[in-house]
């Protein structure tokens, strides 16, 4: 169902972003390289850091593998006695410590910032409680798995990296050191083939040039080979030494809960402020006016009637303020008739023509429905105040288990989800319910804001 609404009065809500911002366009800090990446890669700092990481991985992995296998084997063998459990716990704790060092090494050499895993959770103090926490922790066993799996991969990565690196640079610099062969080895150069009758050496200018070209190809390919090998290391460190998905999800939910609490507290303060400064103050003045009118009723009925008439106007104004406040909390039309009618009402108050299309066969849960309503309200307010648009569209539909809301205008664009802006606050509200806010607003327009919310159907009463 599509409906278009003409101009009207703007909404009274906080603007969600200013179109004057370009969203980071025109940055002066970005470094532009004239040399192609394939040519500068062999001498870049990143390449050498990754090579150092691969070279260090072999001795570190040997040490870590030896420690892990020794401690686990010893602990498993001693499980028939009371010493097995503490030895096994000590081995797992040592693996956790090595995991911390590996995260630091990956952060320094691979620029991989892995969040610290969840700490040990002990219900009570003591050595026995500590052993139980270590043995129950998934981080401990993932660190042990990393210690076991990383050694064979470190051997492969070390062998491949050293081989291609040494071949590339030795062939590339061959003209600088091939004189060693005729002077000290008694041969013209590197021997490619030789038997009792024939020998082939790389000793003439053409062969030396071909050797250098082959070395150049190896040298140019080495950084990308090393980079591909370290991608596996990144996956191992991130997957086995970082927090588990469950722990990450718990942290996200705790953060979202804090955002919800802060939003609810801010809304409560706004409602209290609006009641105190608006309707409450007006009702107090109304009570005083009616008291004065009551005193003048016998002495001056005409003046009393005039005061009652003014009080009647104040009552109408107070009722309108209460209606506006109720609409800001949760509009009755949304509860009674759903998103289609509620968004149509919002669109009719926008200062530009708005086309509304809601394609839903059933209503979402009230909480999701309310968030979608207030999201559209704030975005339309942003269009009214800042976009300088001549038309806008609002589309709502469901795709699988997600509720999609899209608001588009033909204004000047440049909206930016930056810290402290209205769009950032809106994104935090959506994130609190596992929602996503995507803003596409290039300078010059148009602006398209898409909100994605989890779909939960309304419960039947």
């Amino acid at each position: 169902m599509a409906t278009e609404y003409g101009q009207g009065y703007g909404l009274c809500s906080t603007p969600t972003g200013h179109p004057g911002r370009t969203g980071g366009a025109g940055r002066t800090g970005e470094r532009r390289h004239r040399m192609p990446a394939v040519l500068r890669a062999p001498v870049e700092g990143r390449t050498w850091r990754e090579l150092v990481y691969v070279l260090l991985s072999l001795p570190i992995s040997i040490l870590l593998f030896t420690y892990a296998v020794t401690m686990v084997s010893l602990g498993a063998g001693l499980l028939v006695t009371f010493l097995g459990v503490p030895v096994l716990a000590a081995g797992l704790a040592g693996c956790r410590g090595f995991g911390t060092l590996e995260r630091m090494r990956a952060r320094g050499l691979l620029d991989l910032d892995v969040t610290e895993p969840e700490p040990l959770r002990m219900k009570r103090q003591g050595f026995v409680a500590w052993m139980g926490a270590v043995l129950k922790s998934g981080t401990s066993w993932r660190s042990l798995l990393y210690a076991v799996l990383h050694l064979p991969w470190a051997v492969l990565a070390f062998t491949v990296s050293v081989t291609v690196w040494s071949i590339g640079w030795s062939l590339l610099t061959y003209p600088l050191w091939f004189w060693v062969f005729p002077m000290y080895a008694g041969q013209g150069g590197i021997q490619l083939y030789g038997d009792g009758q024939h020998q082939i050496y790389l000793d003439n200018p053409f062969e030396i040039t071909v050797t250098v070209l082959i070395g150049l190809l190896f040298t140019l390919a080495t950084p990308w080979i090393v980079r591909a090998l370290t991608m596996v290391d990144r996956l191992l460190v991130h997957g086995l030494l970082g927090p588990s998905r469950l722990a990450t999800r718990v942290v996200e939910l705790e953060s979202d809960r804090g955002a919800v609490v802060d939003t609810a507290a801010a809304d409560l303060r706004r409602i209290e402020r609006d009641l105190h400064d608006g309707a409450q103050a007006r009702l107090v003045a109304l009570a005083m006016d009616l008291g004065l009118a009551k005193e003048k009723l016998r002495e001056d009925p005409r003046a009393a009637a005039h005061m009652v008439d003014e009080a009647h106007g104040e009552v109408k104004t107070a009722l309108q303020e209460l209606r506006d406040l109720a609409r800001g909390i949760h509009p009755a039309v949304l509860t009674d008739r759903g998103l289609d009618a509620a968004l149509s009402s919002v669109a009719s108050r926008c200062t530009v023509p708005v086309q509304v299309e809601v394609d839903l066969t059933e209503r979402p849960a009230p909480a999701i429905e309310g968030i979608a309503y207030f999201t559209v309200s704030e975005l339309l307010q942003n269009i009214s105040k800042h976009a300088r648009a001549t038309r806008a569209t609002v589309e709502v539909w469901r795709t699988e288990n997600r509720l999609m809301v899209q608001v588009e205008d033909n204004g000047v664009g440049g909206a930016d989800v930056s810290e402290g802006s209205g769009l950032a606050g809106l994104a935090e509200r959506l994130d609190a319910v596992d929602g996503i806010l995507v803003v596409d607003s290039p300078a010059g327009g148009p602006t398209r804001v898409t909100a994605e919310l989890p779909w939960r159907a309304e419960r039947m009463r």
Side-chain angles (χ1 to χ4, degrees):
M1 178 179 180
T3 311
E4 185 167 329
Y5 298 88
Q7 295 182 354
Y9 294 98
L11 301 177
C12 295
S13 60
T14 304
T16 58
H18 198 285
R21 299 180 180 176
T22 60
R27 297 175 185 171
T28 59
E30 295 182 355
R31 184 179 178 181
R32 297 182 179 179
H33 296 275
R34 296 181 179 179
M35 185 180 298
V38 67
L39 296 180
R40 68 174 186 268
V43 295
E44 276 187 330
R46 174 181 176 179
T47 299
W48 293 100
R49 289 194 300 270
E50 290 174 343
L51 182 61
V52 170
Y53 182 90
V54 172
L55 297 179
L56 291 177
S57 291
L58 182 59
I60 292 176
S61 296
I62 293 175
L63 177 62
L64 181 55
F65 180 88
T66 303
Y67 172 82
V69 172
T70 301
M71 294 297 292
V72 172
S73 301
L74 182 61
L78 293 176
L79 283 178
V80 295
T81 67
F82 67 92
L83 296 177
V85 175
V87 171
L88 185 58
L92 293 176
C95 290
R96 289 175 66 103
F98 276 110
T100 301
L101 296 178
E102 285 294 274
R103 286 192 298 272
M104 294 173 59
R105 188 165 69 97
R107 185 180 300 112
L109 297 177
L110 299 182
D111 292 331
L112 178 63
D113 192 6
V114 180
T115 307
E116 295 288 331
E118 60 275 16
L120 294 177
R121 299 181 180 275
M122 296 186 296
K123 296 182 179 180
R124 58 182 184 275
Q125 299 295 326
F127 181 71
V128 176
W130 175 82
M131 286 193 303
V134 171
L135 294 174
K136 292 179 181 178
S137 174
T139 302
S140 304
W141 296 101
R142 291 198 305 273
S143 300
L144 173 63
L145 183 61
Y146 175 86
V148 175
L149 294 180
H150 195 252
L151 177 61
W153 174 251
V155 172
L156 175 63
F158 181 91
T159 304
V160 173
S161 299
V162 171
T163 300
V164 296
W165 183 84
S166 59
I167 289 176
W169 283 100
S170 61
L171 296 183
L172 181 62
T173 59
Y174 181 58
L176 302 178
W177 57 273
F178 85 100
W179 55 268
V180 173
F181 293 96
M183 181 173 292
Y184 296 103
Q187 61 187 44
I190 297 178
Q191 185 177 1
L192 288 182
Y193 174 78
D195 54 21
Q197 298 178 351
H198 300 88
Q199 292 83 28
I200 299 177
Y201 299 100
L202 301 176
D203 54 0
N204 61 61
F206 175 76
E207 294 172 345
I208 293 176
T209 302
V210 173
T211 302
V212 171
L213 292 178
I214 295 175
L216 178 62
L217 293 178
F218 269 92
T219 303
L220 294 178
T222 297
W224 308 102
I225 296 175
V226 174
R227 193 161 300 174
L229 294 172
T230 55
M231 286 301 298
V232 179
D233 289 277
R234 295 172 186 270
L235 293 176
L236 288 173
V237 173
H238 187 273
L240 296 178
L241 299 183
S244 63
R245 291 185 178 181
L246 178 60
T248 303
R249 182 60 180 156
V250 169
V251 173
E252 291 178 354
L253 290 176
E254 290 177 349
S255 176
D256 293 345
R257 181 181 62 183
V260 170
V261 171
D262 293 341
T263 301
D267 290 339
L268 181 59
R269 289 193 299 269
R270 176 181 61 82
I271 294 170
E272 291 176 345
R273 183 177 63 252
D274 292 344
L275 284 174
H276 182 271
D277 298 340
Q280 181 179 348
R282 198 172 297 277
L283 290 175
V284 171
L286 175 63
M288 296 177 62
D289 291 342
L290 289 177
L292 293 175
K294 181 179 179 181
E295 294 179 357
K296 288 184 173 291
L297 185 60
R298 294 182 180 179
E299 300 176 359
D300 191 353
R302 181 174 298 180
H306 179 70
M307 296 177 66
V308 170
D309 184 62
E310 291 181 349
H312 182 256
E314 290 291 323
V315 170
K316 291 182 178 180
T317 304
L319 288 175
Q320 183 61 40
E321 290 181 353
L322 290 174
R323 290 193 191 99
D324 294 340
L325 181 61
R327 185 184 295 116
I329 299 173
H330 197 83
V333 65
L334 178 62
T335 303
D336 298 337
R337 300 174 57 189
L339 271 176
D340 196 353
L343 295 183
S344 299
S345 176
V346 172
S348 65
R349 297 192 297 274
C350 189
T351 58
V352 300
V354 181
Q355 182 179 353
V356 179
E357 184 174 352
V358 179
D359 184 14
L360 296 176
T361 57
E362 58 179 325
R363 296 181 61 174
I368 301 300
E369 192 175 54
I371 293 176
Y373 170 82
F374 287 111
T375 298
V376 174
S377 298
E378 293 193 24
L379 292 176
L380 289 182
Q381 173 65 10
N382 187 62
I383 293 174
S384 297
K385 288 192 173 182
H386 303 292
R388 298 202 293 272
T390 58
R391 59 180 174 82
T393 59
V394 176
E395 297 180 358
V396 181
W397 72 97
R398 177 187 176 185
T399 171
E400 296 181 354
N401 61 341
R402 308 293 285 183
L403 176 65
M404 309 298 296
V405 178
Q406 189 173 88
V407 179
E408 185 175 359
D409 67 80
N410 64 342
V412 296
D416 181 23
V417 186
S418 58
E419 185 177 358
S421 70
L423 283 176
L426 192 59
E428 290 180 356
R429 292 191 180 188
L430 294 177
D431 185 64
V433 293
D434 288 339
I436 301 173
L437 185 72
V438 179
V439 179
D440 181 15
S441 182
T447 296
R448 181 184 296 110
V449 181
T450 304
E452 182 179 334
L453 292 164
W455 176 268
R456 290 195 292 269
E458 182 182 23
R459 295 182 180 180
M460 300 299 294
R461 295 182 180 179

